[in-house]
Amino acid sequence: MTSMLNPLKKTELVGFLVVAAVILLILPAITDAFRLNMVGKYLTYAFVAVGLVLCWGSAGILSLGQGIFFGLGGYCMAMFLKLESSTPEATSIQSTPGIPDFMDWNQITELPWFWEPFHSLTFTMLAVILVPAILAFVIGFAMFTRRVGGVYFAIITQAIAAILTILIIGQQGYTGGVNGITDLRSLLGWDIRTDSAKTILYFVNAVLLLAVIALSLLVRHSKLGRILVALRDKEDRVRFSGYDVAAFKIFVFCFAAAISGIGGAMFTLQVGFMSPTFVGIVPSIEMVIFCAVGGRYSLIGAVYGTLLVNWGKTTFSESFPELWLFAMGALFIAVVMAFPNGLAGIWNSHVQPLVKRLSKRTGERQAAPAETPAAIAE
Amino acid sequence: MSEPTDFLLAVEALTVSFDGFKAVDDLSFYVDPGEIRVIIGPNGAGKTTALDLICGKTRATSGSIRFRGKELTDMKEHEIVHAGVGRKFQNPTIYEDLSVFENLEVSFPRGRSVFGALVFKRDAEVRERVAEIAEMIFLTDHLEDRAEYLSHGQKQWLEIGMLLIQDPELLMLDEPVAGMSGSERIKTAELLHKIIEGRSVIVIEHDMKFVEDIAHKVTVLHQGRVISEGSMAHVQADPKVVEVYLGH
């Protein structure tokens, strides 16, 4: 489990390469453009799940409000795209041309001040990361310096997710309300609705996800990563070893929020709209389930967990739409009761020993035993 | 009383009250540099609370704690550690999910900020220091083991090691030999004799043989107050102490 000499274990590297091959080569090869776009959408949730592995798995901070950060990232991107498609020419039939259509429907005659900076793509890209991170900092500072943790923290994040949804729905003129920000067409003149654009965005998303996983692996293998595990276990001991525990918790919460924001922005680009359904309590809890199914200690398991649950959701909800939510609930209970370490745990405790035994047997005949993709878990 | 600034630690008129119950009541004592002070007293005397107050785990209602002339009562816990105060808890408090090496490494006093921890390098200095401490605490052969698989006594040693690597000027140990086997006790006494060189130590302990063995001075607490203080012989002869404690 631990790595005294070798900071990044070989098995972990292999696991990373396998997941890279799966999302860059195998999935594009076996799916058509429509399904690939759907997989791309699922993979945007994996950003959130990866953040949860660090936040919940490593540091023991369970947030039931990660949809907040996913949504904020998504809304930032949607605001930019909406402004781009709301040129005065394209919106000439409105009573106020040049502002987004839903503002016009809500009798707003001037672009609100906080929309103005989203004319700039550079600003938008920064905002995708910084807006979630800043909100996470505010929440984290308020909670962690007061030593609010555990279930209380989870409930508060859930409440904030609910508040943000209500706020977005209520401020229809500024946010597009319950419909969200829709009808997004192009990014700097590049039509994002075509099949080829969607395929390119899939790969951009995949590369970003891999980069985020690589960065998270580095964080986890730094001393900071070990301090997070230490404070999950014995917070007081960390404090009385001279660390400001709250600062470390704020950091990991902000980090998870920032990468969730990237996921949200990629969601908007690939799906073409953003709405409050991706912000609230239900999506936030679903994201925790993705993480739990994958194995909350495993960065790479988070990707498989997200893909598997979403694949299940799509397949089941196509045939039995009413049953899906029950199935999802049952899945969560089953994972928590029977496999608390998720897919990664099953891999480590059942598959890996089997593969090792087999490879040992063949290894006696061949000189080099095959290395297995055993790095799903820590 | 001589000039208070001569003392390494000066606790004066320290009081803490939990809903009106005074766990520590007008407590004053002074620790010299290099001194080994043992605090004894029956259960509920306020011994652990006194340590909690010094290390900042519990906030004082009134009174003052000065460490090398610096007031500790309004400092944050990690700042008190940075000032040079180390604390061992009563139950072995170690990171079960990390290896022995990592437990010691996390306690190494460098890279204590968020950024510092991100860029922290496991260099030769860290390895040497960890190896040195591991030898002192008899865990050289267990560096790669997960800490949860250690025995109770080994866990106690590991926590002592985690404090030693911080090199604190004042070390506070809460029942370091509690729950240890006979042979472990002997080894721990040997370990404590080694580590007390060059620092002050406050120990809470019930094992009288052990106390007699290490204490320079003994402070006896009862119901949050000091009832006797001095050498072990002096304290043992004190009728008040005999009545509340040793007589039982």
Side-chain angles (χ1 to χ4, degrees):
Chain A
M1 288 294 129
T2 55
S3 50
M4 177 183 158
L5 301 168
N6 193 358
L8 199 72
K9 278 196 302 183
K10 204 161 130 204
T11 49
E12 217 159 20
L13 191 67
V14 173
F16 180 76
L17 293 176
V18 168
V19 80
V22 167
I23 64 178
L24 288 176
L25 301 173
I26 299 174
L27 287 172
I30 59 169
T31 51
D32 57 30
F34 171 73
R35 291 275 165 183
L36 188 65
N37 177 242
M38 214 153 71
V39 173
K41 186 177 92 179
Y42 302 160
L43 286 177
T44 63
Y45 301 136
F47 286 83
V48 185
V50 165
L52 276 167
V53 168
L54 282 179
C55 199
W56 179 34
S58 285
I61 304 162
L62 175 58
S63 163
L64 294 179
Q66 291 305 92
I68 300 168
F69 309 117
F70 181 81
L72 284 175
Y75 267 97
C76 287
M77 184 50 83
M79 284 161 84
F80 172 80
L81 297 175
K82 190 67 188 169
L83 285 180
E84 184 175 314
S85 58
S86 306
T87 55
E89 299 81 56
T91 53
S92 55
I93 55 160
Q94 292 177 186
S95 45
T96 314
I99 63 171
D101 47 13
F102 62 83
M103 291 185 187
D104 197 59
W105 304 333
N106 286 282
Q107 286 83 43
I108 284 173
T109 53
E110 204 185 353
L111 194 66
W113 61 269
F114 64 89
W115 273 73
E116 286 293 346
F118 287 94
H119 281 294
S120 152
L121 182 61
T122 318
F123 177 88
T124 303
M125 280 160 61
L126 286 175
V128 160
I129 295 172
L130 291 180
V131 169
I134 290 167
L135 180 63
F137 181 84
V138 172
I139 298 171
F141 189 83
M143 297 296 119
F144 299 137
T145 53
R146 287 184 179 79
R147 311 223 171 134
V148 175
V151 66
Y152 300 99
F153 181 78
I155 290 169
I156 287 166
T157 52
Q158 181 129 99
I160 295 169
I163 292 166
L164 191 66
T165 318
I166 293 165
L167 193 71
I168 291 171
I169 294 173
Q171 298 300 312
Q172 188 163 291
Y174 300 113
T175 62
V178 74
N179 298 320
I181 300 176
T182 55
D183 199 18
L184 308 171
R185 293 168 211 161
S186 62
L187 176 76
L188 296 179
W190 175 52
D191 193 334
I192 57 172
R193 292 167 302 176
T194 63
D195 277 353
S196 70
K198 283 184 172 169
T199 306
I200 291 170
L201 283 172
Y202 172 87
F203 284 104
V204 171
N205 183 50
V207 169
L208 278 173
L209 178 62
L210 291 171
V212 160
I213 294 172
L215 189 65
S216 303
L217 279 168
L218 286 180
V219 168
R220 202 149 125 176
H221 281 283
S222 70
K223 188 171 111 170
L224 187 138
R226 291 188 285 281
I227 291 168
L228 294 180
V229 174
L231 70 82
R232 171 186 78 203
D233 204 8
K234 298 278 159 55
E235 188 171 319
D236 260 347
R237 184 66 270 165
V238 176
R239 192 169 283 130
F240 292 107
S241 297
Y243 296 100
D244 184 357
V245 167
F248 284 84
K249 288 185 169 181
I250 292 169
F251 169 81
V252 71
F253 190 50
C254 289
F255 186 83
I259 63 179
S260 304
I262 300 173
M266 288 312 298
F267 178 92
T268 303
L269 279 169
Q270 293 184 86
V271 180
F273 75 101
M274 188 71 213
S275 87
T277 26
F278 305 104
V279 176
I281 290 175
V282 173
S284 296
I285 290 177
E286 280 184 351
M287 287 162 186
V288 171
I289 296 176
F290 305 157
C291 174
V293 169
R296 66 184 150 122
Y297 302 118
S298 168
L299 289 166
I300 289 158
V303 178
Y304 294 117
T306 309
L307 285 176
L308 188 75
V309 176
N310 279 290
W311 171 78
K313 182 177 177 173
T314 308
T315 317
F316 278 98
S317 60
E318 276 168 6
S319 351
F320 317 100
E322 309 84 6
L323 284 180
W324 166 247
L325 277 178
F326 292 103
M328 184 93 145
L331 179 69
F332 187 51
I333 293 169
V335 166
V336 170
M337 303 282 289
F339 308 105
N341 294 330
L343 290 175
I346 297 173
W347 177 272
N348 282 345
S349 56
H350 293 87
V351 184
Q352 208 182 331
L354 194 75
V355 175
K356 253 189 193 151
R357 218 178 308 140
L358 288 175
S359 71
K360 207 178 252 173
R361 211 170 294 161
T362 52
E364 281 161 8
R365 267 167 275 150
Q366 301 161 0
E371 188 65 53
T372 54
I376 287 183
E378 194 181 46
Chain B
M1 282 288 127
S2 64
E3 192 65 35
T5 47
D6 292 350
F7 298 110
L8 184 73
L9 182 79
V11 176
E12 283 173 341
L14 192 64
T15 301
V16 67
S17 131
F18 302 121
D19 295 327
F21 168 71
K22 287 183 174 169
V24 168
D25 187 6
D26 196 22
L27 176 69
S28 299
F29 68 93
Y30 303 87
V31 179
D32 287 322
E35 180 185 339
I36 299 167
R37 172 69 57 98
V38 179
I39 300 178
I40 60 173
N43 287 335
K47 305 180 297 282
T48 299
T49 310
L51 295 198
D52 285 348
L53 287 163
I54 295 168
C55 74
K57 191 166 186 257
T58 304
R59 294 284 152 192
T61 311
S62 64
S64 108
I65 304 163
R66 265 168 301 137
F67 177 71
R68 292 158 70 207
K70 243 192 283 178
E71 183 63 46
L72 297 186
T73 43
D74 46 10
M75 280 164 76
K76 288 183 175 163
E77 293 95 328
H78 64 275
E79 293 168 342
I80 295 174
V81 176
H82 295 184
V85 178
R87 160 82 188 269
K88 193 204 157 299
F89 294 98
Q90 194 165 346
N91 295 316
T93 308
I94 53 160
Y95 313 127
E96 314 243 320
D97 291 337
L98 297 179
S99 68
V100 170
F101 184 97
E102 288 170 328
N103 266 277
L104 291 169
E105 184 190 47
V106 163
S107 312
F108 186 78
R110 195 179 71 202
R112 278 167 162 174
S113 67
V114 169
F115 182 73
L118 267 176
V119 300
F120 179 87
K121 284 261 175 335
R122 188 179 286 175
D123 56 19
E125 188 195 353
V126 177
R127 285 171 205 278
E128 276 164 28
R129 189 88 176 106
V130 169
E132 184 190 322
I133 297 290
E135 203 188 322
M136 278 179 91
I137 58 172
F138 324 108
L139 291 178
T140 301
D141 296 336
H142 298 278
L143 277 175
E144 296 255 26
D145 295 351
R146 265 168 83 98
E148 67 175 314
Y149 301 131
L150 297 179
S151 72
H152 176 82
Q154 287 172 324
K155 286 179 181 173
Q156 295 277 37
W157 292 334
L158 177 57
E159 196 184 357
I160 293 173
M162 287 159 71
L163 289 170
L164 284 181
I165 205 164
Q166 295 171 24
D167 199 19
E169 262 184 277
L170 174 66
L171 186 57
M172 302 194 290
L173 306 172
D174 200 343
E175 301 196 20
V177 295
M180 280 190 174
S181 68
S183 65
E184 283 175 333
R185 263 165 207 251
I186 295 166
K187 270 179 132 175
T188 308
E190 181 194 318
L191 171 64
L192 287 184
H193 276 298
K194 247 188 286 176
I195 65 175
I196 53 190
E197 283 164 28
R199 66 185 104 237
S200 300
V201 185
I202 300 177
V203 188
I204 295 179
E205 195 43 77
H206 286 298
D207 185 327
M208 282 308 144
K209 170 84 186 55
F210 188 79
V211 173
E212 217 172 338
D213 202 23
I214 63 165
H216 294 163
K217 224 175 178 186
V218 178
T219 297
V220 187
L221 291 190
H222 180 53
Q223 293 176 348
R225 290 167 168 272
V226 176
I227 58 165
S228 183
E229 192 170 89
S231 67
M232 188 64 180
H234 166 85
V235 164
Q236 275 175 319
D238 191 325
K240 273 189 291 183
V241 177
V242 174
E243 191 193 327
V244 305
Y245 188 73
L246 298 169
H248 284 277

